[in-house]
Amino acid sequence: MRNRLTEMFGIDVPIFAFTHKPEVAIEVTNAGGMGALAASYYQPDELERILTDMDEKTRGRPYCIDVLFANKVGDVVPMSERLKALPKGHLDFVEKILDDAGIPPLPPEVEAELLRDKPPGRGHTEEGILEVLEVVVKHKQARFVLSAMGAPPAHVVETLHSRGIKVGAMAGSAEHALKHVQAGVDLVVAQGSEAGGHTGTISSMVLWPEVVDAVAPIPVLAAGGVGSGRHIAAAFALGAEGVWCGTIWLGAVESELSPDMRKKFIAARSQDAIQRKYDTGKPLRVLRSKWTDAWDAPGAPEPLPLPAQKLLVIPALKRLELANAVDYMGYMSGQIVGRIKKEQTIREIVEDMKAEFQQAMDRLGR
C-alpha cells in the first residue's frame, strides 16, 4: 500500500478514518493509518484538551482534522432564540413525535449545556472553523486538515500551508473537485453517494475515476462504500491512492455508539442507510429509524434549510439519546453498514483490511 500518500504523511497504510470519537482516531493512527477527527462542533478549550491527549497517545504519529466549510449557510441562531426563530408547525410536529414515543423532556442541566454549546450551524461557517483552526495549528501532529462540505477559502489553505499542514477537500463530483484544486488543496477525497453523512448523488464506481482524471496529478482518496481490503484494491484499480472511511468503524468497541446502537448497526442491512434532510437540512445518509419514518409519513412538513433544521432537531435528538430510544435513533451511516457483522476492535478491523487487500492483490496477480 505504500505510495505518495504514505510518503506525504509518514504513515504505514493510506487508510484515513473519519470519526467523531478521539479514541477511534487514536487507534487507527497507532495502527498505521491516519485518524481524522470531526472537530467543527467542539468549543476551543474542549478541542485543546482533546488534541493534547491525542498528541500524547499517538506518540508522534500524524493525524487529520475534519472541518465543515459549507458553501451556503443560513442565519446562525442561538439555541436560546429557538422557539422564536422556528415555524410553530415544525416545532409542534417534532414535539408530537416525542410525545407519541413517550420521550421525557430534557433535564435542566442538559438543557443548560445545550444553551452553552455553539449555536447550531456555527461549525459550518468560516468564523466557526477559524476558531477550530486556531487550536489545530498549535499541535504539530495535526498534519492534515480536510474540508468536508465545500472548497476551503484560498487564504485558509495558504495559512495552513505556511504552518506545514496539508489541506484536502471532499468532492461529490468532478466539478467540485476542480474547485478544490483551484483553492490550492494537496489532495481530494472523492466521496460516492453510498457514504454516510452529507453526500452527493454520484456512486463511487462512477465518481472515483472521474475525479482521478479531472485533478491529475493531485492524489485522490476514495470514499463511499469502503470497508474492506477488497474495496481498497478496487479504489487503487480506479486510480485512487488511498481510502477515506467512516461507517465501518462504528461497529468497533471503541466507537461513539452505545452498546445498544452498535447492536442496531450490526443488524442493519445496506438498504437501511437512507439519504434524507431531516437532521441537518442537507442530504444526509443515516440509518433508518422511527424518527425518519415519521418525517417520511404523509403530512410531515418539509425539512428546513441548514442551519434552521439543526436548530429544530438537536434538542429532540438529545432527548431520544438520553431515553435510549433505539428504535427512534439513527446516526450517520453509509451503505457499507451491511458489512458490519460483529463487534471488533479498531486494530482488528485495520488488520483485516490489510490482509484482505493482500489477498485481493495476489488473486488479481494470478
Side-chain angles (χ1 to χ4, degrees):
M1 291 190 195
R2 293 189 177 276
N3 56 25
R4 281 192 296 170
L5 287 179
T6 57
E7 292 178 9
M8 180 184 290
F9 294 110
I11 56 181
D12 299 328
V13 291
I15 298 173
F16 294 72
F18 171 81
T19 179
H20 290 91
K21 185 80 175 294
E23 287 76 10
V24 174
I26 290 167
E27 287 298 311
V28 174
T29 298
N30 286 338
M34 181 178 277
L37 180 68
S40 287
Y41 304 121
Y42 289 116
Q43 301 285 9
D45 56 346
E46 184 183 14
L47 183 61
E48 175 62 38
R49 290 192 299 270
I50 288 170
L51 297 188
T52 299
D53 185 60
M54 286 180 63
D55 290 342
E56 179 181 345
K57 291 178 178 176
T58 52
R59 302 185 298 278
R61 291 179 176 271
Y63 54 79
C64 172
I65 298 297
D66 178 281
V67 294
L68 296 167
F69 275 112
N71 290 329
K72 294 180 181 179
V73 182
D75 293 334
V76 174
V77 177
M79 192 64 73
S80 59
E81 300 295 320
R82 177 174 175 270
L83 297 181
K84 297 178 183 177
L86 297 174
K88 185 176 184 302
H90 283 72
L91 291 164
D92 291 345
F93 175 76
V94 168
E95 199 62 32
K96 185 177 187 306
I97 296 175
L98 299 171
D99 288 345
D100 290 348
I103 306 300
L106 287 174
E109 64 275 14
V110 176
E111 191 167 3
E113 185 179 342
L114 285 181
L115 292 173
R116 289 194 299 270
D117 284 346
K118 286 184 180 181
R122 180 162 177 81
H124 297 263
T125 66
E126 183 171 335
E127 295 80 8
I129 295 168
L130 291 178
E131 288 178 352
V132 169
L133 295 181
E134 283 181 13
V135 177
V136 171
V137 296
K138 300 175 186 176
H139 296 265
K140 293 182 179 179
Q141 289 169 241
R143 294 268 309 282
F144 178 29
V145 169
L146 181 107
S147 174
M149 280 189 73
H155 70 90
V156 174
V157 175
E158 292 172 7
T159 298
L160 292 172
H161 281 166
S162 72
R163 307 298 288 265
I165 298 172
K166 299 295 184 184
V167 184
M170 189 167 283
S173 70
E175 291 80 8
H176 291 162
L178 288 171
K179 289 180 180 178
H180 300 334
V181 172
Q182 291 167 5
V185 301
D186 302 285
L187 60 91
V188 171
V189 178
Q191 185 194 53
S193 60
E194 302 96 321
H198 295 102
T199 71
T201 59
I202 305 173
S203 68
S204 294
M205 185 65 72
V206 174
L207 179 69
W208 295 348
E210 281 188 0
V211 172
V212 167
D213 292 346
V215 305
I218 288 176
V220 172
L221 290 175
V226 178
S228 73
R230 279 179 288 170
H231 293 121
I232 300 173
F236 277 29
L238 293 172
E241 297 187 46
V243 294
W244 176 277
C245 34
T247 301
I248 197 64
W249 316 113
L250 293 174
V253 294
E254 300 95 338
S255 83
E256 61 266 39
L257 298 184
S258 68
D260 287 339
M261 281 299 291
R262 275 202 294 276
K263 290 177 183 176
K264 184 172 181 176
F265 266 66
I266 290 169
R269 307 164 301 166
S270 295
Q271 58 265 44
D272 293 326
I274 60 175
Q275 193 181 52
R276 300 291 191 273
K277 295 183 178 181
Y278 306 146
D279 288 350
T280 68
K282 285 184 173 290
L284 186 81
R285 193 173 295 284
V286 298
L287 204 62
R288 181 184 173 187
S289 66
K290 288 185 177 180
W291 168 261
T292 60
D293 287 348
W295 281 92
D296 279 340
E302 287 295 315
L304 301 169
L306 176 75
Q309 185 72 10
K310 293 187 72 169
L311 185 69
L312 173 68
V313 305
I314 281 177
L317 298 179
K318 189 66 177 179
R319 286 169 64 180
L320 293 170
E321 177 190 341
L322 293 177
N324 197 32
V326 174
D327 288 348
Y328 283 82
M329 294 163 62
Y331 206 73
M332 290 175 289
S333 171
Q335 292 178 332
I336 195 66
V337 68
R339 187 176 175 83
I340 302 174
K341 300 299 184 184
K342 60 183 178 179
E343 195 173 74
Q344 293 180 282
T345 65
I346 295 293
R347 181 79 62 163
E348 288 170 339
I349 295 171
V350 173
E351 291 304 316
D352 285 350
M353 284 181 171
K354 290 160 64 176
E356 188 176 282
F357 172 82
Q358 187 61 59
Q359 292 165 6
M361 296 304 290
D362 289 346
R363 188 165 57 249
L364 288 170
R366 291 196 297 272

